[in-house]
Amino acid sequence: MAKVIEGLYYSESHEYVKVEGDFGFIGISDYAQHALGNVVYVDMPDVDDEVEAGEDFGAVESVKAASDLISPVSGTVVEVNEALDDKPELLNEDPYENWIIKVELTDKTELDALMDAAAYEAFCAK
């Protein structure tokens, strides 16, 4: 069973958001990294890029497939996880510690459309 963390918000496309104040850390869930297999490359936006809820902001490539990253929230990218440039496999090791981008949230009400841990576990079990 994939690990699901309480207190995060999850999307149906298997991204999560960890909210700290006005910022959201966006990454892929444990379920997603298991489905992808060994991650070999992460395509990330640049700092100051805008991301929109429901829109692509990059991609994760594994030995099996490439998968678009869909932003669960809207905001401005304030930081990218540069460690993933050299070690994309960090997403396999611990996807919750190794977020992909940090955004300044533009509309916190978007979080209401996302799943909590219990709802996401049920969604993944389907």
Side-chain angles (χ1 to χ4, degrees):
M1 179 69 193
K3 186 165 105 179
V4 177
I5 306 279
E6 288 290 333
L8 302 181
Y9 298 89
Y10 297 88
S11 68
E12 289 188 0
S13 53
H14 304 289
E15 287 84 12
Y16 70 81
V17 183
K18 178 171 85 175
V19 177
E20 290 183 1
D22 291 329
F23 298 95
F25 294 86
I26 300 172
I28 61 170
S29 71
D30 194 43
Y31 181 94
Q33 73 84 13
H34 276 295
L36 281 164
N38 294 334
V39 175
V40 294
Y41 178 72
V42 184
D43 179 32
M44 297 177 279
D46 295 319
V47 170
D48 293 330
D49 282 0
E50 298 289 326
V51 296
E52 291 292 325
E55 300 289 321
D56 299 5
F57 70 85
V60 174
E61 293 178 24
S62 71
V63 291
K64 291 198 285 192
S67 181
D68 286 337
L69 293 165
I70 311 295
S71 186
V73 291
S74 301
T76 304
V77 178
V78 293
E79 193 176 341
V80 297
N81 188 347
E82 292 179 2
L84 297 175
D85 285 336
D86 296 327
K87 290 191 71 178
E89 66 274 13
L90 289 170
L91 292 181
N92 294 119
E93 292 168 18
D94 190 341
Y96 297 115
E97 280 300 310
N98 295 291
W99 47 272
I100 298 170
I101 60 172
K102 176 182 177 183
V103 298
E104 186 167 4
L105 302 169
T106 51
D107 182 1
K108 282 192 177 176
T109 63
E110 290 175 339
L111 297 168
D112 299 339
L114 302 172
M115 293 176 273
D116 64 10
Y120 183 66
E121 273 183 13
F123 175 77
C124 290
K126 286 182 189 165

